[in-house]
Amino acid sequence: MSYFSDIYNGIKTLLTGMSITGNYFLHSRKGAITQQYPDNRETLKMFDRFRGEVIMPHDENNEHRCTGCQSCEIACPNGSIEIIWDRQLDPETGKKKKMIDKHIYHLSMCTMCGLCIEACPTDAIVWAQNFENSVYDRSQLTKVLNRPGSKVKAGIED
Amino acid sequence: MKIVSITKTVHDWLFSIMPEGAASIVEMVLIAVAYLAFFAVAGLYLVLLERRVAAWFQLRLGPNRVGPQGIFQTMADALKLVSKELTGTIKADNFLYNLAPYFVIVSSLMALAVFPFTQEFQAFDINIGIFFLIAISSIGVIGILLGGWSSNNKYALIGAMRSGVQTISYELSVGLSLLTMVLLTGTLQLSEIVEVQKNGWLIVQGHIPAIIAFMIYMIAGTAETNRAPFDLVEAESELGAGFHTEYSGMKFAYFFLAEFINMFIIAAIATTIFFGAWLSPFGITDSIPWLGVFWFLGKTLLLVFLMMWFRWTFPRLRVDQLLTLEWKYLLPINLVNIVIMAILVWLNLTIKF
Ligand code: SF4
Ligand code: SF4
């Protein structure tokens, strides 16, 4: 007798499936996930976890959180990050300490793996959500992440 | 042969200026060209409809850039396909390879001739209408087999063989479910079948067995057109593009167009047999006969939509599941259904208004 119950179940499950897709069909106008990209350029906002490029946020005093520890440089599997650093005299304590000169990031080589961001002990670098990264000249993709004249925020190293 | 009465003036004019034989040939050619032009364009719009409907089912928007709401999208696609190079393989059997697409498209266009679009608007009212339709719609598979065989490609061949298996199996169900309805009408001629339905559409007249027959017909008809969930013939994930892997340009477009015209044909047969062809519901527009075209096309498009709904809901069947469905379920149910229908007609239990 499983023959007839098979038919019954078959039809029932097919109708269930059709009601679900039919429901989607009726709500497609409001619920459409398509982004009509160049048209909605002004309002298009990428989701939080989108990996656009690595950036280093600076606060209002032009201070960042990077101590120059080079963890990110070591973590990067394809050498997209170069840290140029030297030992400078700390104006407050008067001691010599390691400071970054330039945090160089090659966007053209980055595979967006995120290992550098995980490796950073002070959360100095984060993902940006921008996505319009195309340029006409490759050299423009090599970026210096710390702004000129910026310095490390006090108390980060402790 | 009954000639379209809307073109009666053309008909008279043609017969007045040339001998009878030549006039009727010219007339046939004219009608053929008109049908060809109309259904080539209609096929393109069915493709567009399919793409938009598919998009809506998947919460996308679909093509909406070329022209308002994308109405020129498939025209542009067709233009692109026409201008493309026709590549072929060296080891292909050239004669059969080139013949196959025409086989497919011609067989599907031929079936269109017999549909009663509205009263008197039927190119070819043959007295074995349904039989002709069933016969013609299964010829298309020869084109697919030829295409798959001659392109000398293993994927194409597997696809074509699957198509053969599928069509041979499901042809039975299509035929038997239509036969169930023929028990009700007592005629194979499409215009007379419509005449019978003036007392209520056949799906109402035949109630339960008619509904079962309709369901079986829709399942088998979907299989006949090789559309999902029965698209093993061109299962992209397994076979490349199936039987038309080696085709490009316009020849590919013929296969593609034929699929959509076939879908239209299957829906149109269902409209004619089950839903009263051009008859309006409750006879609301019976006084204006030409409105029948809209009823016919409206019902057909509704059924086409149903097939698209199937396609975007159900996953593809395996070959063994395909054959199980046909031989273990559809066929026995169908045979029992015919007996039920025969008893119904015998005891006069049909519903007539
Ligand atoms: S995301 Fe990966 S590839 Fe890119 S800079 Fe960081 S570690 Fe290197
Ligand atoms: S960004 Fe983070 S990991 Fe890289 S050098 Fe600066 S503090 Fe170290």
Side-chain angles (χ1 to χ4, degrees):
Chain A
M1 272 300 105
S2 76
Y3 183 80
F4 292 105
S5 62
D6 278 354
I7 294 175
Y8 173 75
N9 282 329
I11 293 177
K12 204 177 93 179
T13 44
L14 288 182
L15 288 181
T16 313
M18 283 179 71
S19 73
I20 289 173
T21 46
N23 200 24
Y24 279 138
F25 179 78
L26 293 178
H27 294 94
S28 60
R29 298 304 167 72
K30 271 179 274 164
I33 50 169
T34 309
Q35 300 288 343
Q36 308 214 51
Y37 164 55
D39 294 351
N40 68 351
R41 199 173 184 158
E42 265 72 57
T43 53
L44 181 61
K45 214 174 159 296
M46 290 311 252
F47 46 96
D48 288 345
R49 288 170 60 189
F50 179 71
R51 300 175 170 192
E53 62 170 326
V54 175
I55 55 162
M56 183 181 287
H58 289 62
D59 66 6
E60 61 276 11
N61 304 326
N62 207 10
E63 288 176 339
H64 55 74
R65 300 168 65 89
C66 176
T67 57
C69 71
Q70 289 181 293
S71 298
C72 53
E73 186 176 10
I74 296 162
C76 182
N78 45 6
S80 307
I81 292 179
E82 282 172 63
I83 312 281
I84 298 178
W85 57 276
D86 54 6
R87 292 192 190 280
Q88 290 170 356
L89 220 48
D90 191 331
E92 283 162 35
T93 55
K95 285 186 207 151
K96 273 203 163 179
K97 81 173 192 190
K98 192 174 179 179
M99 281 186 178
I100 60 163
D101 183 20
K102 276 180 183 165
H103 185 298
I104 298 170
Y105 168 57
H106 299 276
L107 177 56
S108 53
M109 300 203 299
C110 176
T111 58
M112 311 291 167
C113 68
L115 291 178
C116 53
I117 287 168
E118 275 173 41
C120 179
T122 54
D123 296 334
I125 44 181
V126 293
W127 283 115
Q129 271 76 42
N130 64 330
F131 50 88
E132 291 177 333
N133 283 328
S134 52
V135 288
Y136 285 104
D137 184 358
R138 198 170 56 167
S139 63
Q140 289 172 23
L141 292 174
T142 299
K143 305 186 178 189
V144 179
L145 293 192
N146 55 330
R147 292 197 196 134
S150 63
K151 63 180 194 316
V152 63
K153 202 185 273 181
I156 292 294
E157 284 146 287
D158 309 328
Chain B
M1 185 196 297
K2 200 194 296 179
I3 300 295
V4 187
S5 79
I6 294 175
T7 55
K8 189 142 184 72
T9 43
V10 181
H11 172 82
D12 292 342
W13 176 71
L14 275 176
F15 275 76
S16 67
I17 59 164
M18 48 180 110
E20 203 165 318
S24 56
I25 287 175
V26 169
E27 199 169 43
M28 283 181 211
V29 170
L30 278 182
I31 291 171
V33 168
Y35 265 64
L36 202 64
F38 178 74
F39 281 100
V41 175
L44 287 182
Y45 278 98
L46 274 181
V47 176
L48 180 67
L49 185 74
E50 162 99 51
R51 288 175 63 181
R52 293 302 310 254
V53 168
W56 289 334
F57 272 122
Q58 300 175 337
L59 291 183
R60 293 182 288 114
L61 293 174
N64 62 353
R65 290 290 148 147
V66 190
Q69 291 297 312
I71 56 168
F72 299 126
Q73 177 72 51
T74 43
M75 294 279 183
D77 288 348
L79 267 182
K80 183 202 78 174
L81 284 174
V82 172
S83 62
K84 271 189 149 181
E85 186 192 355
L86 293 171
T87 57
T89 48
I90 298 169
K91 289 193 175 169
D93 183 335
N94 262 321
F95 175 65
L96 296 182
Y97 178 80
N98 292 324
L99 183 68
Y102 299 101
F103 228 108
V104 173
I105 190 94
V106 166
S107 66
S108 61
L109 283 170
M110 263 164 83
L112 288 169
V114 297
F115 289 117
F117 287 103
T118 182
Q119 203 158 16
E120 306 288 308
F121 187 67
Q122 186 176 8
F124 188 33
D125 191 15
I126 190 172
N127 59 358
I128 48 163
I130 293 183
F131 184 67
F132 178 79
L133 277 177
I134 297 174
I136 285 292
S137 64
S138 47
I139 281 184
V141 71
I142 294 181
I144 292 178
L145 279 171
L146 282 183
W149 169 257
S150 64
S151 41
N152 211 342
N153 170 317
K154 56 181 176 250
Y155 296 125
L157 185 60
I158 294 173
M161 287 303 156
R162 285 184 181 183
S163 170
V165 167
Q166 190 170 322
T167 310
I168 288 169
S169 312
Y170 280 82
E171 195 58 46
L172 269 173
S173 281
V174 171
L176 284 176
S177 58
L178 291 180
L179 209 59
T180 319
M181 304 316 285
V182 170
L183 284 179
L184 259 182
T185 62
T187 170
L188 290 168
Q189 190 167 3
L190 290 180
S191 59
E192 278 178 33
I193 288 177
V194 178
E195 211 55 41
V196 171
Q197 302 194 56
K198 289 199 167 149
N199 302 321
W201 298 354
L202 285 190
I203 196 146
V204 182
Q205 281 195 31
H207 48 95
I208 296 167
I211 290 170
I212 296 175
F214 173 66
M215 283 165 74
I216 292 172
Y217 175 79
M218 276 323 271
I219 295 171
T222 314
E224 190 97 319
T225 55
N226 295 330
R227 287 171 56 81
F230 304 99
D231 62 343
L232 316 125
V233 178
E234 40 201 287
E236 287 90 353
S237 46
E238 302 154 27
L239 297 180
F243 64 91
H244 56 57
T245 308
E246 298 291 354
Y247 285 90
S248 68
M250 209 51 212
K251 286 186 202 150
F252 163 75
Y254 283 146
F255 281 122
F256 198 63
L257 208 57
E259 180 189 327
F260 280 85
I261 294 179
N262 276 335
M263 182 166 72
F264 181 87
I265 289 171
I266 293 292
I269 296 177
T271 306
T272 315
I273 310 293
F274 295 96
F275 294 100
W278 46 267
L279 295 172
S280 52
F282 310 112
I284 42 178
T285 60
D286 272 0
S287 46
I288 330 168
W290 56 267
L291 266 184
V293 178
F294 294 100
W295 286 115
F296 188 90
L297 291 181
K299 289 176 204 171
T300 308
L301 283 182
L302 217 62
L303 291 176
V304 166
F305 172 76
L306 189 67
M307 289 168 78
M308 291 179 180
W309 196 349
F310 290 161
R311 173 166 185 176
W312 297 105
T313 304
F314 304 138
R316 182 186 304 140
L317 275 73
R318 268 197 328 261
V319 175
D320 62 323
Q321 292 168 333
L322 181 90
L323 295 178
T324 309
L325 177 66
E326 164 64 19
W327 295 102
K328 283 196 182 159
Y329 292 91
L330 294 187
L331 192 63
I333 294 175
N334 220 332
L335 291 171
V336 172
N337 200 29
I338 288 191
V339 175
I340 297 176
M341 183 60 102
I343 294 173
L344 220 67
V345 173
W346 179 41
L347 298 177
N348 234 339
L349 288 174
T350 53
I351 302 174
K352 277 195 184 142
F353 297 110

